[in-house]
Amino acid sequence: NAGVTQTPKFQVLKTGQSMTLQCAQDMNHEYMSWYRQDPGMGLRLIHYSVGAGITDQGEVPNGYNVSRSTTEDFPLRLLSAAPSQTSVYFCASREDRNTEAFFGQGTRLTVV
Amino acid sequence: AQTVTQSQPEMSVQEAETVTLSCTYDTSESDYYLFWYKQPPSRQMILVIRQEAYKQQNATENRFSVNFQKAAKSFSLKISDSQLGDAAMYFCAYRSETGANNLFFGTGTRLTVIP
């Protein structure tokens, strides 16, 4: 059971480039979400999904897009990378609204 | 959005001793969940303990226990018999039972365990 898998684990981008952070879970969880972790600020919610075809914005959605075409996958797209998006990104999933969240191992993204 | 405050950026404890990490939160709701997550250097977020607000009894998981004071909106984590493997960042988190019920995190406390 792989749990929540994020790829890549590390990435360096140039300002203005676009890329997609991948997140996949094999637990048939309905709920998935993306967080970013910055020093001194904890984890902040970017986007979330409560099921295939349904997404919504979190606290810090600007500069990011998501889609949820399948239950398993929840990719996060950076449209035009900026140095302010340098962060560690976590994907999480949970079965339903009353259960615990499982986290991926994170992606460290550096934008230069 | 709910606010979760961890006022101790860093804490240290001697091995085998007990340490308490503090967390307060701000909410107008009566039903919610509270969590403590551990993040070791590997970066993995690991659930340590969970507390449902409707439960008066404090949650306990082996050496980890909480002191949940609902009226004071306080949720501290006590680690007993501290071990070197307990060294990590600890995050307090809140989740509402209503609406989108996503997690809101505090800024974390870095725990050092001294041999």
Side-chain angles (χ1 to χ4, degrees):
Chain A
N1 190 341
V4 181
T5 303
Q6 289 184 237
T7 54
K9 288 186 170 50
F10 301 92
Q11 182 71 48
V12 179
L13 284 181
K14 293 183 179 179
T15 298
Q17 286 185 318
S18 63
M19 79 158 296
T20 299
L21 306 185
Q22 301 291 346
C23 176
Q25 52 91 6
D26 60 359
M27 298 173 282
N28 202 34
H29 286 176
E30 290 295 324
Y31 285 60
M32 297 187 74
S33 50
W34 277 102
Y35 293 86
R36 60 177 287 172
Q37 182 179 17
D38 301 297
M41 299 190 73
L43 279 75
R44 292 180 294 166
L45 182 66
I46 305 171
H47 285 285
Y48 66 97
S49 169
V50 298
I54 306 169
T55 64
D56 207 345
Q57 297 180 350
E59 295 176 76
V60 287
N62 292 342
Y64 308 95
N65 272 358
V66 293
S67 60
R68 185 96 180 271
S69 56
T70 66
T71 298
E72 294 78 19
D73 300 300
F74 190 44
L76 178 72
R77 297 181 186 85
L78 280 70
L79 308 174
S80 177
S84 61
Q85 293 179 304
T86 293
S87 188
V88 178
Y89 291 85
F90 285 94
C91 178
S93 76
R94 55 191 165 107
E95 184 175 3
D96 58 44
R97 59 188 297 109
N98 295 318
T99 54
E100 68 177 270
F102 292 85
F103 285 81
Q105 290 209 304
T107 295
R108 180 176 294 279
L109 176 68
T110 302
V111 183
V112 298
Chain B
Q2 279 71 21
T3 303
V4 179
T5 302
Q6 294 180 249
S7 59
Q8 307 155 316
E10 297 183 350
M11 292 283 285
S12 61
V13 62
Q14 292 279 349
E15 195 175 2
E17 296 296 309
T18 296
V19 64
T20 299
L21 309 184
S22 301
C23 173
T24 58
Y25 56 94
D26 184 25
T27 185
S28 57
E29 299 172 332
S30 58
D31 295 320
Y32 49 88
Y33 301 92
L34 295 165
F35 305 85
W36 279 98
Y37 281 89
K38 171 185 178 181
Q39 186 181 44
S42 67
R43 226 166 50 197
Q44 182 70 50
M45 294 290 286
I46 302 166
L47 179 64
V48 174
I49 201 164
R50 158 186 170 146
Q51 174 81 43
E52 289 88 344
Y54 68 86
K55 290 186 177 178
Q56 293 187 338
Q57 186 172 5
N58 289 326
T60 299
E61 289 288 342
N62 301 314
R63 297 183 295 107
F64 298 87
S65 61
V66 298
N67 183 5
F68 173 48
Q69 302 288 330
K70 190 173 184 179
K73 297 179 184 175
S74 171
F75 183 60
S76 60
L77 175 70
K78 186 172 80 171
I79 306 174
S80 304
D81 186 25
S82 297
Q83 301 175 0
L84 295 178
D86 295 334
M89 282 289 287
Y90 286 82
F91 291 96
C92 179
Y94 171 101
R95 192 177 83 200
S96 170
E97 278 206 15
T98 61
N101 82 334
N102 291 299
L103 283 165
F104 289 92
F105 287 86
T107 52
T109 297
R110 181 173 301 281
L111 178 67
T112 300
V113 181
I114 303 166

